[in-house]
């Protein structure tokens, strides 16, 4: 039986813009399973990043519930959410957010050094991850000495430093050219295949989304391409992406 690692039930998110209330999410139901790669696509303003932020415990729903690895995080305190993020979730964003004065090796080792329950030698683990992502020859390069695709792979390695079972990526190829974007996607596939990590990626690139195990389309804060817990075929993935 497949293990559900992310479950959203009737999640809504209302945002106040001046005197108006905007419904960013409208009753989203979502189930994502261990070891899946799931793409989330949709037009600008459809709620993709809002949903990812709520799943990652960076924001709270107005209504509904979110479970991460069987734990209801909906009404947790900020301290409790911090613990969940540290233990369960890695984040990769469009902007790499690497520390410019540190090398690739030091950037990846940093979250291990600050972890409350350290499971790895920081530099051994950083070297292992960077090697796996094809950056073994760039360990001692600073961000300014790396290409955009290389910097994003360093950011992915940093997100995985403490072995989170879930990796959330918000437009990780948005600042990259086509070749670099494909390289980053292959890196995410490697992580899923070799570490069993569940990957959820928001993207505007339908060609990348079509390579995922499953694609969910958001429009006006709702999932519109079937039941979010189903696993459509590869042909259905491409059809859904083409419709979006």
């Amino acid at each position: 039986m497949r293990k559900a690692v992310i479950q959203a039930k009737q999640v809504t998110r209302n945002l106040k813009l001046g005197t108006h209330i905007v419904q960013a999410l409208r009753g989203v139901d979502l189930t994502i399973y261990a070891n899946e790669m799931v793409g989330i696509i949709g037009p600008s303003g459809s709620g993709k990043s809002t949903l990812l932020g709520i799943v990652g415990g960076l924001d709270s729903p107005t209504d509904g519930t979110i479970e991460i690895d069987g734990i209801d995080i909906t009404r947790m305190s900020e301290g409790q959410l911090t613990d969940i993020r540290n233990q369960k979730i890695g984040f990769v964003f469009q902007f790499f957010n690497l520390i410019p004065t540190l090398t690739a090796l030091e950037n990846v080792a940093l979250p291990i050094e600050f972890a409350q329950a350290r499971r790895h030698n920081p530099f051994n683990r950083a070297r292992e991850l960077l090697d796996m992502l094809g950056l073994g020859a760039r360990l001692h390069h600073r961000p300014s000495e790396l290409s955009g695709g290389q910097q994003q792979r360093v950011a992915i390695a940093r997100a995985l430093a403490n072995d989170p079972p879930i990796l959330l990526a918000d437009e990780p190829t948005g600042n990259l050219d086509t070749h670099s974007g494909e390289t980053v996607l292959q890196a995410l596939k490697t992580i899923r295949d070799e570490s069993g990590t569940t990957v959820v990626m928001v993207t505007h690139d339908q060609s990348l989304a079509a390579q995922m195990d499953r694609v969910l389309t958001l429009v006006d804060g709702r999932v519109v391409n079937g039941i979010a817990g189903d696993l459509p075929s590869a042909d259905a993935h491409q059809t859904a992406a083409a419709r979006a």
Side-chain angles (χ1 to χ4, degrees):
M1 184 176 179
R2 292 178 302 165
K3 177 185 177 183
V5 294
I6 299 171
Q7 286 191 292
K9 299 176 182 177
Q10 285 296 294
V11 167
T12 66
R13 183 66 174 103
N14 297 337
L15 303 174
K16 189 173 182 180
L17 298 177
T19 59
H20 300 285
I21 300 296
V22 175
Q23 281 192 300
L25 297 174
R26 308 181 184 205
V28 170
D29 290 312
L30 177 69
T31 302
I32 295 174
Y33 299 96
N35 305 340
E36 272 198 287
M37 283 192 72
V38 176
I40 299 178
I41 64 174
S44 179
S46 61
K48 303 184 300 296
S49 293
T50 299
L51 177 60
L52 205 69
I54 288 175
V55 166
L58 299 175
D59 195 7
S60 297
T62 302
D63 202 0
T65 61
I66 293 284
E67 291 184 9
I68 298 297
D69 210 12
I71 301 169
D72 189 340
I73 70 168
T74 313
R75 306 299 170 211
M76 282 186 170
S77 67
E78 183 54 39
Q80 291 171 318
L81 287 172
T82 297
D83 289 341
I84 289 292
R85 290 192 295 266
N86 288 340
Q87 297 166 16
K88 304 286 187 183
I89 302 169
F91 294 92
V92 181
F93 299 101
Q94 180 174 351
F95 300 100
F96 319 125
N97 297 327
L98 300 175
I99 298 175
T101 57
L102 300 184
T103 65
L105 190 68
E106 291 165 339
N107 265 285
V108 178
L110 196 62
I112 306 172
E113 294 179 316
F114 283 103
Q116 290 183 341
R118 186 181 295 181
R119 288 178 283 182
H120 301 284
N121 174 284
F123 289 98
N124 288 348
R125 173 64 171 165
R127 187 174 288 105
E128 172 192 343
L129 287 167
L130 290 167
D131 282 343
M132 182 169 65
L133 293 172
L135 293 170
R138 297 288 186 269
L139 301 180
H140 304 294
H141 289 63
R142 290 182 170 79
S144 62
E145 301 170 311
L146 300 172
S147 70
Q150 290 170 340
Q151 289 185 64
Q152 190 61 289
R153 279 183 281 160
V154 173
I156 292 170
R158 181 183 58 188
L160 294 165
N162 287 313
D163 292 323
I166 299 167
L167 182 67
L168 304 179
D170 193 0
E171 297 280 9
T173 64
N175 281 332
L176 305 178
D177 59 42
T178 300
H179 174 73
S180 296
E182 185 65 34
T183 300
V184 166
L185 178 62
Q186 294 306 316
L188 293 173
K189 288 182 177 180
T190 297
I191 292 299
R192 190 277 303 274
D193 293 341
E194 298 194 7
S195 303
T197 306
T198 300
V199 178
V200 183
M201 184 175 82
V202 165
T203 182
H204 67 278
D205 189 328
Q206 295 179 11
S207 66
L208 294 184
Q211 299 179 57
M212 301 286 171
D213 297 330
R214 183 154 55 109
V215 178
L216 302 176
T217 303
L218 278 181
V219 175
D220 294 333
R222 293 187 175 95
V223 177
V224 298
N225 58 331
I227 299 172
D230 286 349
L231 289 175
S233 66
D235 289 344
H237 296 167
Q238 295 179 16
T239 301
R243 287 199 306 263

